[in-house]
Amino acid sequence: MKTAIITGGSRGIGEAMTLKLGEMGYNVVINYRSESSKALTEKLVATLSEKYGVEGYAVRADVSKYEDCGALVKAAVEKFGEKIDVLVNNAGITNNSPFCELSHDSYMAVIETNMLSAFHMCHFVVPYMVKANEGCVISTSSIGGLMGVANQADYCASKSGLIGMTRALAMEFGKQNIRFNCICPGMIWTDMLRGVNQDEVAALAQSIPAGKIGDVDDIANAMEFLIKDKYMTGQYVSPNGGIYMP
């Protein structure tokens, strides 16, 4: 049985990715950070078993912290063995704040959660992939990592950093059959988007060439493509309805 680790995998885009991994036949290790997320994650673990016949494993870990990332990977190895087939770095937060109003703690939280967590997870997981001479790492970036977004300096910086890390690691570990890619979603229907003014959301949707906002399954499908395409590395794919065309 194949093994995947996903961070931020219990809700929204992460939940869709977790379920897609289960559908693809992976045992899935999912982190959660707070007690409020524990029940949600354990419910998802049960769904993986009931719906796909694979095993899920919920581990409490704040992936913005290096030591917690180490503990998460250790728990995964102890549970499913040393062969880690897929790592999905999906944990992410945003402040959506004017730059001059950002505190040091608030922008560091975004950078540590969005970018450094991926760096930490790769630091612990990649040696196992080197040992196996294969592996796949996918990081969830954003169109915010490709273009400027007002009031999102810390978010954009963190998401751009993921792309830079991905390209460098793809260069370094290509000969060892380890692939690194990013997904850069555009506007996607999540609980956060459903909680804001829907008239404004509808107006924004009309600015998207596709004329609609994407679904979390669009991102999970992109993840599946990147896992299956063995010649794809050092790249980003951006399901965004055409709102950003480089």
Side-chain angles (χ1 to χ4, degrees):
M1 186 73 77
K2 300 172 290 185
T3 299
I5 302 174
I6 180 168
T7 66
S10 63
R11 67 185 73 205
I13 288 172
E15 179 185 12
M17 287 175 155
T18 296
L19 292 172
K20 177 61 72 173
L21 288 166
E23 181 185 325
M24 295 173 69
Y26 287 85
N27 290 329
V28 189
V29 180
I30 318 159
N31 81 296
Y32 65 92
R33 188 172 65 174
S34 64
E35 280 300 314
S36 62
S37 298
K38 182 179 181 181
L40 195 65
T41 308
E42 289 178 344
K43 181 180 178 181
L44 188 55
V45 164
T47 300
L48 288 171
S49 176
E50 294 164 5
K51 192 170 183 178
Y52 302 114
V54 299
E55 193 171 354
Y57 186 40
V59 179
R60 184 166 190 167
D62 179 351
V63 293
S64 70
K65 303 181 187 305
Y66 182 77
E67 296 78 8
D68 280 26
C69 290
L72 174 60
V73 176
K74 181 181 179 183
V77 169
E78 289 175 350
K79 179 71 173 177
F80 294 121
E82 292 191 355
K83 192 170 188 301
I84 302 170
D85 299 279
V86 172
L87 167 64
V88 181
N89 295 308
N90 181 66
I93 60 173
T94 184
N95 284 317
N96 192 29
S97 174
F99 181 74
C100 291
E101 296 177 12
L102 280 172
S103 69
H104 173 262
D105 287 346
S106 61
Y107 69 67
M108 284 303 298
V110 166
I111 291 170
E112 287 170 352
T113 301
N114 296 7
M115 184 179 72
L116 291 184
S117 67
F119 207 98
H120 298 334
M121 290 300 296
C122 287
H123 196 238
F124 286 108
V125 169
V126 169
Y128 288 107
M129 293 181 170
V130 170
K131 186 176 180 180
N133 198 43
E134 65 176 339
C136 176
V137 178
I138 297 168
S139 298
T140 304
S141 180
S142 167
I143 58 168
L146 305 172
M147 56 187 283
V149 181
N151 301 327
Q152 297 276 1
D154 50 354
Y155 183 81
C156 292
S158 67
K159 295 301 188 177
S160 293
L162 285 177
I163 297 171
M165 181 195 78
T166 292
R167 289 171 171 164
L169 292 178
M171 290 287 291
E172 186 170 348
F173 292 101
K175 294 292 194 300
Q176 283 130 313
N177 199 31
I178 307 172
R179 297 179 298 109
F180 297 82
N181 292 291
C182 278
I183 303 174
C184 298
M187 287 198 67
I188 304 296
W189 279 118
T190 60
D191 289 343
M192 183 182 297
L193 193 60
R194 290 185 179 95
V196 301
N197 185 299
Q198 293 304 293
D199 290 336
E200 294 178 3
V201 172
L204 186 56
Q206 293 307 306
S207 69
I208 301 172
K212 62 181 181 179
I213 293 168
D215 188 76
V216 292
D217 288 337
D218 296 320
I219 311 307
N221 290 338
M223 179 199 70
E224 181 180 19
F225 164 71
L226 291 173
I227 291 172
K228 289 183 174 179
D229 193 317
K230 304 301 183 183
Y231 200 49
M232 180 76 77
T233 193
Q235 308 299 317
Y236 69 80
V237 296
S238 184
N240 64 50
I243 197 170
Y244 176 77
M245 302 182 193

